[in-house]
Amino acid sequence: MGLSAEHNIEALPARITWIANFIPPYAAWMYQNLGERLQDFRLLLSTGMEKGRTWAPDLSLPNTRIQRTLSWTYQSRHPNGFTETLQSHFPYDTIPLLLKEKPKVVISSELGARTVQALIYRLLCPATRLIVRATVSEVSEQGRGGVRRRLRRVMLNHADAILVNGQSGARYIRRFGVPLEKLFTVPYTTDTTALTRLPLEKPPEAALRLLFVGQLIGRKGLFPFLEILREWALRHETRTVNLWAVGTGCLGDSLERYAFPSNVTVRFLGAVPYGNLPNVYAECGLLVFPTLSDEWGMVVNEAMAAGLPVLGSLYSQAVEELVRDAQNGWCFRPDSKNEMYSALDRALNTSESKMSEMRRDARKTVAYLTPSYAAERVLDAVRFVSSQRGANERLGSSLNENLEFRRWRPASRAMNCLFCGHSAVMRFQRNDSFIWECTGEDCGLEFLHPQPTDEQLSTAYASLYYPDRGPQRRVPFENTPVEVLEQALDCLTIRLGNLNGLELLDYGCGQGRLCALAARRGMTVTGIEPSNTARMQARGSGIVVFGSLEELIRSVPETSFDLITLWDVIEHLREPWYDLRSLQRVLKPGGRLLVSTMNTRSLRARIQGPRWENYSNPTHTFFFNRHSLGSMIARTGFVGTEEWILPIRYPQHGFLRRSVHRFLMATSLNAEIVFVGTNDRTPDENPSSDSFPVAANFNSNYRI
Ligand SMILES: [Zn+2]
C-alpha cells in the first residue's frame, strides 16, 4: 500500500494549483487529503468565507492563499420560481499568480471569470494542463443566458478534463460536446467519522422527527413544503408532527410567524456550528430536503451517514444519485404537490421496523463517499491530463511555436549580458540579429545583439517615426498621444506638487510634445533630440533643444534640472546605463529621473512573442520589465527607485478597452511601465566626466 502510494506521487506532476471560491467546512478534508498525497499542492481562494454564510473560515490548510478579488452580489431568478441573491467573485490576480507559481496542472472551480483566467494561463503555457471543476446539474443551470452558454462551450472544449459531481452534471456538460473520456465524477464528500458513530436505534419521539438543515431562502423550497405539511397535519388531527430547522436566512422571520396547525410543533435552532451538527442529527428521524434547485446537497450525505432516511427533492443531484425511494428515503419533485404529499404521507406512515432498515441502508449507501475517495477521483483526472502529451495542438499553433522557440537554448552560442555581464540566453531571432535575456537574478535585462549599424537605424527612424516625405505618409509607430502626456503631467503634479518654475529636461524629446505641454504648465523646458528632422520641428515650436547631452553641457555648463524624463526612449538607446549615469550629472540633488517604457511581461508581449511590436520595432535595442528597469535605475546610482502607477486613459479607447486596460494595470500585465529614481548626491559627489565617459558614447551611438 505504502509502495503504491509512493509510486503515485512519483508519477504525478510536481506542482498542482487548485483555484476556488472558498472552502466550505465539509470540503476541507478532500483538499487536505490531496495536499498529503501530492508533492506540491496549492490552493488559491477568492475569499476566506462568503458573506452571509454562518460557517467560520478554515484557512489551516497549508499553501493556501487568498487572492485579490472583486466580489459583488446579484439577484438571480430561476425558472423554478425563486429569486436568490448570489455572490460573484472575480479573483483578478489569477493570471499573474499562476505565471509566477507556474503550476503544471491547474484545477479551476466553476465556469466563471476564474476559469477564463486559468484558460488564458493554459494557452500562454501550452505545456500545462487545465482541469475544470463544473459543480453543476441540469436543474441548477436552467435559465442561463446564451452568452454564458457560449462562454462555457469555449471553456469546456479547451479544458483537458472536467470534474462533475454526478450524472446530471455529466449530462449537462456532454451537451457542450465534451467527450465522455474527459469527464470525471468527483462527488461532494465530508468527514463523516462523527456521524457514522451515532447509534442507528432511535427513541420513539425522535424516530419520525423531521429535520431541515440549510439556508432559510426561497431556493430551499421550505414554504411549498410547509404548505403540504400543514395540509397533511389538518387531515391527521390525531397525529403530532415535529420539525426542527437548522439555519438562518432572509425567510427566517416569516417562517417563525408561519401559522402551523396545533398538532405541528416547529423548533428553529438558528445557526449551529458545523462540528455540533451530529448532536442535532442524533435527535431527529428523517431529513427533509425540498430544494427547488441544488447542484448537489451536502446535507443529504451528512444525514444519510448519520442514519437518517431522506425525504428529498429530485431537483438535487445528491437525492437523484443517493436516495432510492422506499429503501433509504422518499423522493418527489417539489413542483408537484401530489408527489410531495404522497412522499410525506408514506414517510410519516413508515413502521418502526421499516425505518430501522432504511436507516441502515442510508448509512451503507454513502459509506464510500469519503474525502479520500473524492481525492482519488481528482487524481484520476490529473493522471489522465498528465498522460495527454502534445494534446490540444489546435490551441494556437503560433503560440506554441513562440514558446517552443523560447525554450531553445543554443549550447554553442555563449552570450553575456551587455549591462551586468551575467550569462544570457537567446529568446528570439530578429532578422539577422537575436534578442537575448540576462539570467542574472537581479537583472533580467533583454537586449538585441548584435545591434544594427548607424545607417540601418537612421533608415529605420526616418521611415518609421519622422517621415519627411509629406504629411500624408502613414507613420507605423505613432508617438505618444498628447492626451496621455497630459495625464502623465497630471500625475507628476499630484506627486511633486506645483510644477510651475521647475526645470525639466526631456531626453529624447522628439518633436517636443511633452516639452510644449510642460511649458504650458509653467515649467522651464529643455529637450535633447538626436534626430535632425525632429529637432528642427521642436525648435520650430520655440523649444530649446540640443542634439546631445554633451552639446547641452558645453553650451550651458552650470545647468541642472529638477526633473529628467525619458518617455519611451530608453528602449532605443545603445547603452542606456551610460545615458542614465550621465544624466545624473545634470540632475539637482533630490531631483527625479522618470523613465517609461513598454513592459515585456505585459499580456500582449506574452501572447505575441517575437511578433510583439516592441520586439519587432527595428529601432528598439533593449526591452524591459518591472524588475530589469527598476534594477538598472538603481544600479546606475539613483536612490528610492519606485514604480509609478499612472492611471492613463488612452483617448481612442472605448469602454471595453479602458476596462481591459484597468484590469491589466491591476494585474501587473499592463504594457506601459513608469519608474522614478531620485538623485541623492550633492553636485560634488556627482559622477564626473573622468569616471564616466559622459555623452561621448551616447553621441557616437545614438545618432540618426
Ligand atoms: Zn544582466
Side-chain angles (χ1 to χ4, degrees):
M1 184 63 206
L3 196 69
S4 77
E6 262 173 43
H7 176 75
N8 285 346
I9 286 177
E10 289 309 311
L12 291 165
R15 180 168 294 170
I16 297 177
T17 296
W18 192 317
I19 338 171
N21 261 345
F22 64 97
I23 301 181
Y26 57 78
W29 286 281
M30 183 194 68
Y31 292 116
Q32 199 174 345
N33 197 289
L34 282 171
E36 285 160 8
R37 297 168 75 163
L38 292 165
Q39 287 175 23
D40 186 351
F41 178 67
R42 300 175 180 215
L43 271 167
L44 295 178
L45 302 178
S46 298
T47 169
M49 184 52 63
E50 281 191 330
K51 278 185 217 127
R53 303 265 183 188
T54 52
W55 294 322
D58 172 17
L59 300 173
S60 58
L61 292 169
N63 292 325
T64 301
R65 177 175 179 147
I66 305 289
Q67 296 188 246
R68 288 191 281 175
T69 302
L70 295 173
S71 299
W72 63 94
T73 57
Y74 63 99
Q75 298 285 321
S76 168
R77 186 151 181 81
H78 191 276
N80 282 6
F82 61 89
T83 301
E84 71 178 323
T85 305
L86 294 174
Q87 284 179 54
S88 261
H89 304 286
F90 178 24
Y92 55 83
D93 59 352
T94 304
I95 296 171
L97 282 176
L98 290 176
L99 288 171
K100 198 171 130 215
E101 300 198 341
K102 296 188 175 54
K104 288 278 179 271
V105 175
V106 176
I107 305 173
S108 180
S109 289
E110 303 193 32
L111 297 162
R114 176 183 307 107
T115 299
V116 170
Q117 295 177 83
L119 178 60
I120 292 173
Y121 170 74
R122 167 70 177 83
L123 295 172
L124 289 172
C125 307
T128 67
R129 293 291 177 264
L130 172 64
I131 300 174
V132 174
R133 188 181 204 195
T135 47
V136 292
S137 74
E138 290 158 300
V139 177
S140 72
E141 300 316 301
Q142 277 172 23
R144 299 292 194 191
V147 174
R148 198 186 289 241
R149 277 204 307 276
R150 276 196 289 281
L151 193 60
R152 288 183 167 188
R153 184 175 292 277
V154 172
M155 284 188 264
L156 290 169
N157 284 297
H158 280 143
D160 300 288
I162 320 284
L163 309 181
V164 293
N165 46 14
Q167 289 171 29
S168 176
R171 284 194 298 271
Y172 174 79
I173 298 298
R174 293 271 282 146
R175 285 188 212 158
F176 294 91
V178 176
L180 203 55
E181 67 268 20
K182 278 194 183 181
L183 291 180
F184 293 82
T185 303
V186 181
Y188 279 135
T189 58
T190 185
D191 178 61
T192 53
T193 315
L195 294 166
T196 50
R197 281 194 197 127
L198 296 175
L200 280 174
E201 298 314 311
K202 300 266 176 186
E205 73 275 12
L208 288 178
R209 181 175 289 144
L210 308 178
L211 172 66
F212 172 87
V213 181
Q215 290 170 280
L216 305 180
I217 54 174
R219 176 166 63 83
K220 294 291 180 182
L222 253 186
F223 271 118
F225 175 76
L226 292 180
E227 292 294 309
I228 298 296
L229 181 63
R230 207 174 107 93
E231 202 180 317
W232 190 90
L234 290 172
R235 287 193 203 169
H236 299 80
E237 286 178 353
T238 56
R239 300 278 303 272
T240 58
V241 184
N242 242 305
L243 169 67
W244 286 12
V246 171
T248 58
C250 56
L251 297 182
D253 288 345
S254 34
L255 282 168
E256 289 193 37
R257 285 197 304 271
Y258 191 84
F260 291 102
S262 56
N263 56 341
V264 176
T265 55
V266 181
R267 212 175 129 192
F268 289 97
L269 302 174
V272 172
Y274 194 70
N276 293 352
L277 275 176
N279 302 331
V280 179
Y281 284 116
E283 297 288 316
C284 296
L286 56 109
L287 181 82
V288 175
F289 192 58
T291 184
L292 302 181
S293 168
D294 247 291
E295 38 99 1
W296 183 259
M298 196 57 217
V299 285
V300 174
N301 297 42
E302 291 162 0
M304 290 176 83
L308 271 66
V310 175
L311 172 61
S313 154
L314 287 165
Y315 293 168
S316 131
Q317 235 180 150
V319 171
E320 195 191 339
E321 299 262 314
L322 303 173
V323 180
R324 289 183 304 278
D325 202 274
Q327 286 185 39
N328 52 25
W330 309 267
C331 303
F332 58 87
R333 284 172 297 172
D335 44 7
S336 162
K337 287 189 173 182
N338 289 341
E339 277 185 31
M340 208 188 317
Y341 187 92
S342 155
L344 175 68
D345 189 52
R346 283 181 291 129
L348 293 178
N349 285 317
T350 310
S351 69
E352 173 48 32
S353 62
K354 176 71 179 166
M355 275 304 269
S356 174
E357 205 180 292
M358 290 176 85
R359 284 196 285 264
R360 261 191 298 279
D361 189 292
R363 181 171 288 174
K364 214 172 83 191
T365 301
V366 296
Y368 76 101
L369 289 175
T370 60
S372 70
Y373 174 84
E376 189 54 44
R377 300 285 75 75
V378 173
L379 295 182
D380 283 347
V382 171
R383 286 184 201 104
F384 171 77
V385 299
S386 312
S387 67
Q388 304 292 296
R389 298 263 175 265
N392 290 301
E393 294 302 348
R394 67 185 187 283
L395 298 179
S397 55
S398 62
L399 252 176
N400 276 326
E401 274 163 31
N402 296 346
L403 288 150
E404 290 302 328
F405 186 37
R406 199 180 144 178
R407 264 181 245 115
W408 177 54
R409 302 268 188 265
S412 56
R413 287 250 210 168
M415 185 68 214
N416 290 324
C417 177
L418 300 177
F419 176 45
C420 77
H422 211 282
S423 68
V425 292
M426 186 185 290
R427 287 205 61 189
F428 316 117
Q429 181 160 10
R430 193 177 88 187
N431 301 326
D432 51 356
S433 185
F434 300 93
I435 292 172
W436 305 79
E437 182 176 7
C438 170
T439 59
E441 252 182 41
D442 45 2
C443 179
L445 181 66
E446 290 174 55
F447 54 92
L448 182 77
H449 184 84
Q451 292 190 359
T453 64
D454 287 355
E455 263 180 347
Q456 286 170 326
L457 270 186
S458 199
T459 314
Y461 275 105
S463 62
L464 294 174
Y465 284 87
Y466 309 116
D468 45 12
R469 282 185 247 162
Q472 75 281 6
R473 206 183 129 97
R474 193 176 146 267
V475 184
F477 293 93
E478 286 177 31
N479 292 300
T480 314
V482 167
E483 291 85 347
V484 172
L485 295 175
E486 287 278 20
Q487 290 167 43
L489 288 170
D490 288 343
C491 292
L492 280 170
T493 312
I494 293 166
R495 294 293 193 131
L496 303 179
N498 192 359
L499 301 180
N500 193 20
L502 293 184
E503 300 253 6
L504 168 74
L505 174 65
D506 190 23
Y507 192 69
C509 67
Q511 291 142 323
R513 290 191 198 197
L514 181 60
C515 285
L517 296 172
R520 225 180 285 160
R521 294 183 187 223
M523 296 183 92
T524 308
V525 298
T526 306
I528 291 179
E529 175 53 54
S531 158
N532 289 325
T533 317
R535 195 165 60 243
M536 290 310 149
Q537 283 169 338
R539 281 181 184 158
S541 41
I543 297 160
V544 179
V545 188
F546 296 92
S548 67
L549 182 60
E550 194 186 31
E551 191 190 325
L552 166 71
I553 293 172
R554 209 169 42 231
S555 312
V556 199
E558 295 307 309
T559 192
S560 65
F561 299 90
D562 299 290
L563 176 68
I564 298 177
T565 50
L566 281 79
W567 194 269
D568 291 349
V569 163
I570 194 168
E571 64 271 20
H572 296 268
L573 302 176
R574 285 199 183 273
E575 287 173 291
W577 49 94
Y578 277 109
D579 300 83
L580 297 186
R581 279 174 182 153
S582 307
L583 285 167
Q584 208 171 2
R585 275 195 69 190
V586 292
L587 194 56
K588 289 179 183 169
R592 310 280 189 120
L593 171 85
L594 181 149
V595 182
S596 87
T597 190
M598 305 310 280
N599 179 8
T600 59
R601 294 284 182 270
S602 66
L603 188 60
R604 188 171 286 245
R606 286 172 190 266
I607 290 175
Q608 295 184 325
R611 289 176 292 111
W612 187 45
E613 61 178 14
N614 290 286
Y615 282 135
S616 62
N617 184 324
T619 67
H620 287 185
T621 43
F622 287 89
F623 315 92
F624 295 86
N625 56 46
R626 294 191 154 72
H627 181 66
S628 57
L629 181 60
S631 165
M632 186 179 287
I633 294 171
R635 289 167 86 174
T636 48
F638 294 88
V639 297
T641 305
E642 57 170 333
E643 184 180 5
W644 280 11
I645 305 286
L646 306 185
I648 288 172
R649 297 182 308 279
Y650 285 80
Q652 75 276 22
H653 287 188
F655 171 75
L656 186 64
R657 284 192 65 180
R658 281 206 309 276
S659 309
V660 169
H661 179 69
R662 267 202 291 273
F663 164 69
L664 294 177
M665 292 289 287
T667 54
S668 309
L669 288 165
N670 53 310
E672 185 92 35
I673 44 177
V674 180
F675 270 76
V676 175
T678 305
N679 179 24
D680 72 336
R681 299 167 197 246
T682 63
D684 296 341
E685 290 172 329
N686 269 352
S688 70
S689 52
D690 296 337
S691 52
F692 292 103
V694 171
N697 172 286
F698 167 91
N699 197 28
S700 63
N701 287 313
Y702 185 52
R703 188 197 303 132
I704 305 305

